[in-house]
Amino acid sequence: MTDTKSGDDKTLSMNTKKTLTLKRPGVEQGTVRQNFSHGRTKSVVVETKKRKFSVPGEKQEPAAPVALAPRAQPAPKPAPAPVAKEQPKPVAAEGRSGLVLNELSSEEMEARRRALEGSKAREVEERRRAQEEAARRAEEDERRRKEREESARRQAEEETRLKAEAEARSRAEEEARRRAPEPAPAPDADDDRDAKRKAKPSLPPKRIATPEPARPARPRGGEDRRRGKLTLNSALAGDEARGRSLSAMRRRQEKFKRAQHQESREKIAREVILPETITIQELAGRMAERAVDVIKFFMKQGQILKPGDVIDADTAELVAVEFGHTVKRVAESDVEEGLFNIPDKPENRETRPPVVTIMGHVDHGKTSLLDAIRHANVVSGEAGGITQHIGAYQVEQDGQKITFIDTPGHAAFTQMRARGAQATDIAVLVVAADDSVMPQTVESINHAKAAGVPIIVAINKIDKPEADPQKVRTELLQHEVFVESMGGEVLDVEVSAVKGTNLDKLLEAILLQAELLDLKADPERTSEGVVIEAKLDKGRGPVATVLVQTGKLLPGDIIVAGNEWGKVRALVNDRGEQLSEAGPSMPVEVLGLQGTPQAGDRFATVENEARAREISEYRQRKAREMAVAKHAGQRGSLEQMMSQLQSSGLKEFPLLIKGDVQGSIEAIVAALDKLGTDEVRARIVHSGAGGITESDISLAETSNAAIIGFNVRANRQARDAAEQAGIEIRYYNIIYNLVDDVKAAMSGLLSPERRETFLGNAEILEVFNITKVGKVAGCRVSEGKVERGAGVRLIRDNVVIHEGKLKTLKRFKDEVAEVPAGQECGMAFENYEDIRAGDVIECFRVEEVARTL
């Protein structure tokens, strides 16, 4: 094989000197047979790429010098043309492979020549473009320089003009003063000054400062119109400090013109409505003044205030008067004006059903009597057969309706019963014929009298063999309840709830009494009423049982009940039916309130949501303020609290109570308040209607409170959270059990009785100061014995100096549990080192004995 190189090109051919065909421009291809040992061979395809080089035999044209760009050209590379001339013909060199160099075809030569010419033309084009770019940059720099000079010139002219105007104005003022007629007598200097001072207000106020001297043009020839903007070029060029932009100069001129033409605005006196408290910002807005001016006024008075600071109505009135406005004072409670007690129109008044409250002692048969009247069974639904909620029902007798309110009879529900009496027209006092008058019977009589409602006595359980109705009538005389058979005016009916005896007579007596009362209401006006009960229903949200007293309540009405408001979504009667309206004396469940109101709150219809929200927010704010004031009165300062704890040693039992309805919760809270003593009391951290949730667990964990659920349960998440936090949840459905359990738990908080036992005395003989230990007393036990861990007192001159515990008790070098009388020992006190020789150490033991409520 033969291998020959010429320039940068390599050509391979076979021994037969066959010329390889040109597969694609610049690439040659052929096959080479390789020989291996043992006679093996292999054909290999070989491709050779060619590089550009000068054509052999062609004269190389020297590059013409281009005088377009002044920059120095690199030294030309040595041309390979002479080498090509020495080898005019391809030479076949003998070698291993036997390959020869073939002549290049004329097409290739032509292609290479064209490529060379193209590269030269591109180079010339690039140089031309570079020259054009340089010329364009020079023109741009020249244009910017001229713009900067023009801007500087304009600025100088403007400042010169302003200066000239100021001088002309001052000359005109001087000329006017000189032309003023002078008085006959020559005034002295003081008169002249007075005249000038008097003349001064007629002149326009000084509106312009002394004109600034014209600024010199910047050494870099000024800047373009956007001089105020910091661009990348100006930052890299390292310019001097930024000057005024054209926009800033324009704003300055406009401000100057405004100052010249500004006239004093006429002040408008306004009537400013002032509530009990107002922020400075809001006061300024109502006066149409700037808040800055109001704050300046306060600063002159020596007060530093912010626009958001709240001031009282008296201070706000002083400010408003000072600024020339009139004031109208209003109270926050004015938002409630016109909410209740709207007079009825006489022509619209119609007879309404009487509202009857069933009252009496516990277990005298009130609910059973009402069941018999309603033909329903409510007692079985109450825990232990005791009514714990207020229920409201409506029944019909001889085509006339009667509304009944059933109240619990137990003493714990006094407050609820009082509310029931307030919303009622007639009170039915149920007294058991076999039990006669009891304490809660007397309370019911007092509530009815306080509410000013007539009483009808229902003597129940006359079917029992031991019944004695006459005894009941006689005992009622002691409480000034005179029945008709005893010469009085109070109606009495003997009934039996179990047998249904005389129930119709009782209803007739109620209707007779209602006829005497002549109960009427206007159904066409806005509705008012009272909340009998409220609860948080899982599926329906806050549900309030209300008694409509006047007007007509419709779905879609916006009502305010206590601190809550809402839009009536639905009205449901005692049988679970949805109603399209609720007239006077009708008890209904209202859905759609924002929260759960309190039992006994009054409700009323308002015209729009904005007013409802305003009233609700005002009431909530007042409730918060009252609560804060109450707690502040109880809490006092830190010193008072600490002294109270030290003097009284009052301990608290924190509880979180959740119940099914608001009335039950109030009864539980009232019962627990009565358990408190001077040493321990129940503190209700939170109480509310509804199930126990995770937020209740978090609150109980934070306040270390126990959770009590009355007729409610915790959901799964709350149970898991309680288990994780180690908080106990107690469930109850009878109030007596709850009160008894809390009483037993509170007994454990009573501080145990302390009993002190004297152990012995030791006299200090010497005091040693030991490194890293402190002072150690060398003692001899003079009486009884000394025990480690017992309480000790240091007595000096028969006065107790310190009381604490022993840090160490040693006999020789060993720590011992006790040292008997007559022996010596070493003692050291915990956190106390003021011991001296001659002091006496008294050792004692304290035993604690548990107490109960």
Side-chain angles (χ1 to χ4, degrees), residues 285-303:
R286 292 186 183 189
M287 295 192 301
E289 304 282 353
R290 294 190 310 161
V292 177
D293 296 335
V294 181
I295 288 169
K296 282 180 183 173
F297 171 76
F298 279 110
M299 288 174 74
K300 286 177 186 173
Q301 312 302 320
Q303 287 180 284

Side-chain angles (χ1 to χ4, degrees), residues 8 95 128 200 225 266 306 343 549 576 726 787 842 853:
D8 291 332
R128 186 181 62 75
K200 199 169 184 179
R225 289 166 62 86
E266 188 180 347
K306 300 189 294 296
Q549 292 173 314
E787 289 183 0
E842 180 186 275
L853 275 174

Side-chain angles (χ1 to χ4, degrees), residues 788-840:
R788 190 176 65 204
V792 286
R793 293 191 187 96
L794 183 68
I795 300 170
R796 185 178 300 156
D797 301 327
N798 294 323
V799 175
V800 177
I801 303 297
H802 172 71
E803 185 170 334
K805 286 188 174 182
L806 286 179
K807 181 166 68 176
T808 181
L809 178 63
K810 289 195 175 183
R811 179 116 171 85
F812 299 107
K813 290 188 177 181
D814 301 326
E815 196 78 32
V816 291
E818 64 174 54
V819 179
Q823 292 189 359
E824 294 183 356
C825 60
M827 290 193 236
F829 288 88
E830 282 185 3
N831 306 321
Y832 190 77
E833 292 196 344
D834 182 20
I835 50 178
R836 302 177 191 171
D839 290 353
V840 174

Side-chain angles (χ1 to χ4, degrees), residues 169-182 192 196 199-200 203:
R169 194 162 49 254
S170 63
R171 279 200 302 274
E173 290 171 2
E174 186 66 32
E175 185 67 25
R177 281 199 299 272
R178 202 167 49 247
R179 287 182 181 179
E182 295 180 6
D192 192 23
K196 282 183 181 179
K200 199 169 184 179
L203 295 174

